Amino acid sequence: MSVSTAVSTPSVCAPLPVLGRDVTVPLVTGGEVTYAALDYAASAPALQRVWDDVAAYAPYYGSVHRGAGYLSQLSTDLFENARRTVAEFLDCRPDDQLVFTRSTTDSLNLLARALPADCQVFVFETEHHASLLPWQDARVSYLDAPRTPAQAVRTLERALAARDPHGPALVCVTGASNVTGELWPVRELAAAAHAHGARIVLDAAQLAPHHPVSVRDLDVDWIAFSGHKLYAPFGSGVLAGRADWLRAAEPYLAGGGASRTVTRREDGGVAVEWHESAARHEAGSPNVIGAYSIAAACKALTEAGFETLVARERHLIAKVRAGLAEVPEVRVLSLFGDDAPRVGVLSFVVEGWNSSHFAAALSAEYGIGVRDGLFCAHPLVRTLLGSDPGTQGECGAPEAAPGEKSLNAIRVSFGAGTPDEHVERFVTAVRELVADGAKWSYRTEDGRCVPAV
C-alpha cells in the first residue's frame, strides 16, 4: 500500500459530522475563525452520531449488574451488548475476552500485571510511552528503531532467536506510529513472534480510528485501544484477546464486581473467589457511558465504510504532504521513508523555528490546533531529530530536558471529521509563517509558549 500523490479527486466523500465543527476561536490579530482541530492523534472530536446515541440513552442510565430495577437491567444489557459490538468490530476469536478499561495505557498496564512469572518482553524503542513503560517488572529487551518494515521484522527475529526458549515471552508493537503515522508490519511481526513461541499485543490506539483492525487477520494475541481516539468521549478503553493469562492473573483491581464470593475464614481473614470472565479485571462501577460510546463509534465507522474513510484520509494526507513539500525549510520526520504508508499523522520541524513557538503561532494567529513536543514517545523523537537541539527560538519545548529546549517537533493529525478547508488553512499558515514570520510576540509561561500581552 502506498500513499497517493493526488491532491483532489471528485470521488472523495464528505467528512463525518463531529462535535465542535462550528466552534469559533479568537485570534490575537483580531477577529474570530472557525477552529481547525488538527490534533486527532491526541484526542479525536466525538462523532455527532456517537453523541446523539449517548444522549438518547442518558435518561435511562443506571447501575450495571445485580440491580433489580428496570434501568439497571437496561444498562446491564447495554453494557454487555457494547462488549459484543466492540468484539465484532475487532473480529475477535470466539474464546477471546474483552475487558473495558480507562485507556490504552490502562489496558497495557493491565496486561503487564497479568504476565506469567519470568516473562520476557520485547518492545521497540519507537513505542509510545503507554506501550514502552508498563513492563518494568518483567525482563524487558528494548529494540533499536528500525529504518524499514523489513528491518523491524529482522530485528525482532534476531532478538527472539536469542531468548530463553523455555519461558513465556511477549512482543508489544504499535500498529501506526503516533509520531510519524507510519504503518507497522503487524502481521509479519506476529508471525515472527509466534514462530519463536512468543505472544504479541498490538497497540492500536492510532490504527483503529483510521483502518479496519482484525485480531484474526493480523493474528495478534491481544489488542488495546482508547475510545477518545476513536471519536468516542467519556474515558474508556479496551483490552481484547486471549483469556488464559487474564484468567490466571490476580485481579487488576480488587473490589466489588471482580469477586464471585467473599467469605470470612476461621483465622479472621477473608477468602475470595474471583470471576474468570472479563469482570475479573473490571472491579468497581464500570464506565457504562464510556463503553457504550465506544460501541456507538464502532458502529458508526463500520456503517460509514472504512474503504471510503481510508480513501478520504489518503486524499488529506496527499494535500498536507504536497503543501509541506513546497516549503524547503520544513522537514517531515519518518522512520521508513517518504513513500511509507501512513495514517493521518505527520510530525515535522521547521528550520529556524522552535517547534513550540511555531505551534503557538498556528493557534494564536490562524486558529489551528496542533501539538508540539516529544509526543510521549521521547526515545523515538530524539532518534528522529538527532542530538543537536538547533535554534532556540522564542519559546522552549514544554517536555524538553535542560539543554534540549529546541529538541521538539510539531505534529499535525486528522481523520474522518476533518474538512479540506482545515488542512488547506494549515498548509497556507505554514507557508506564511516561514516566509513572513509571526505577527505576534511570544513568551514561555508555565512551560508553554503563549502570546505575549
Side-chain angles (χ1 to χ4, degrees):
M1 182 170 63
S2 60
V3 176
S4 170
T5 57
V7 173
S8 163
T9 67
S11 61
V12 172
C13 68
L16 298 183
V18 293
L19 293 183
R21 58 190 179 275
D22 298 323
V23 168
T24 60
V25 294
L27 303 179
V28 293
T29 51
E32 293 185 341
V33 67
T34 302
Y35 183 65
L38 297 179
D39 193 16
Y40 275 48
S43 285
L47 288 173
Q48 184 68 54
R49 156 80 178 275
V50 172
W51 192 261
D52 291 344
D53 285 351
V54 169
Y57 159 66
Y60 301 94
Y61 170 81
S63 63
V64 303
H65 301 142
R66 297 171 301 282
Y70 177 80
L71 296 191
S72 179
Q73 294 181 45
L74 181 69
S75 294
T76 297
D77 287 344
L78 181 140
F79 184 66
E80 295 303 333
N81 283 332
R83 196 188 307 276
R84 286 186 284 272
T85 296
V86 179
E88 291 173 3
F89 178 78
L90 297 174
D91 191 25
C92 288
R93 296 163 292 248
D95 295 333
D96 284 343
Q97 273 192 2
L98 190 146
V99 181
F100 283 116
T101 65
R102 292 178 297 174
S103 59
T104 308
T105 302
D106 197 37
S107 296
L108 293 171
N109 275 272
L110 188 166
L111 184 60
R113 286 277 299 274
L115 295 181
D118 205 31
C119 187
Q120 300 175 74
V121 177
F122 298 84
V123 57
F124 286 93
E125 67 171 353
T126 48
E127 293 290 311
H128 185 281
H129 294 172
S131 47
L132 186 73
L133 301 180
W135 323 106
Q136 301 299 312
D137 293 334
R139 290 189 291 151
V140 188
S141 294
Y142 295 104
L143 309 180
D144 292 340
R147 287 299 182 168
T148 67
Q151 186 183 14
V153 177
R154 290 195 300 269
T155 297
L156 179 62
E157 287 177 333
R158 284 195 299 269
L160 291 172
R163 81 175 185 93
D164 176 0
H166 301 296
L170 177 71
V171 175
C172 181
V173 67
T174 189
S177 170
N178 78 301
V179 176
T180 67
E182 292 164 314
L183 298 176
W184 276 63
V186 176
R187 189 179 292 104
E188 292 81 359
L189 291 168
H194 294 151
H196 289 85
R199 297 190 181 189
I200 185 168
V201 56
L202 171 63
D203 175 354
Q206 301 295 340
L207 182 63
H210 303 275
H211 281 267
V213 176
S214 167
V215 170
R216 282 190 268 202
D217 181 54
L218 295 174
D219 197 22
V220 294
D221 297 281
W222 292 277
I223 183 170
F225 72 91
S226 296
H228 72 100
K229 299 184 192 299
L230 194 79
Y231 312 100
F234 308 110
S236 197
V238 167
L239 175 67
R242 305 211 178 269
D244 53 349
W245 287 8
L246 298 175
R247 285 177 180 155
E250 288 295 304
Y252 184 45
L253 297 172
S259 57
R260 186 191 302 273
T261 61
V262 180
T263 57
R264 289 295 299 274
R265 297 195 306 255
E266 290 184 1
D267 63 4
V270 294
V272 184
E273 180 186 355
W274 303 107
H275 282 294
E276 292 190 354
S277 66
R280 185 184 189 90
H281 299 291
E282 293 178 343
S285 297
N287 182 356
V288 183
I289 287 183
Y292 181 51
S293 70
I294 290 180
C298 290
K299 287 181 180 179
L301 292 173
T302 300
E303 291 172 8
F306 267 108
E307 183 176 348
T308 300
L309 297 176
V310 169
R312 171 166 182 79
E313 188 167 304
R314 288 180 182 167
H315 160 76
L316 296 176
I317 292 170
K319 277 198 169 193
V320 172
R321 291 189 60 186
L324 294 181
E326 294 175 354
V327 185
E329 293 83 355
V330 169
R331 176 166 71 93
V332 176
L333 305 182
S334 174
L335 272 175
F336 300 153
D338 290 343
D339 293 330
R342 68 178 73 218
V343 299
V345 179
L346 296 94
S347 295
F348 63 98
V349 291
V350 183
E351 181 181 343
W353 283 81
N354 174 274
S355 294
S356 294
H357 183 196
F358 200 88
L362 286 173
S363 174
E365 301 178 26
Y366 294 91
I368 298 170
V370 296
R371 184 153 295 231
D372 64 278
L374 301 177
F375 316 126
C376 291
H378 295 187
L380 171 56
V381 179
R382 287 191 171 99
T383 294
L384 295 173
L385 293 180
S387 59
D388 181 8
T391 305
Q392 287 290 328
E394 286 190 44
C395 298
E399 296 177 314
E404 294 184 344
K405 288 292 186 181
S406 293
L407 192 61
N408 61 329
I410 306 151
R411 184 181 70 191
V412 57
S413 53
F414 40 87
T418 305
D420 283 39
E421 186 275 327
H422 287 184
V423 298
E424 290 164 359
R425 193 198 317 169
F426 164 76
V427 169
T428 298
V430 170
R431 188 182 299 117
E432 290 181 357
L433 285 172
V434 171
D436 305 327
K439 300 180 179 69
W440 208 262
S441 297
Y442 296 82
R443 59 186 175 85
T444 301
E445 180 180 292
D446 296 330
R448 295 296 313 169
C449 189
V450 297
V453 292

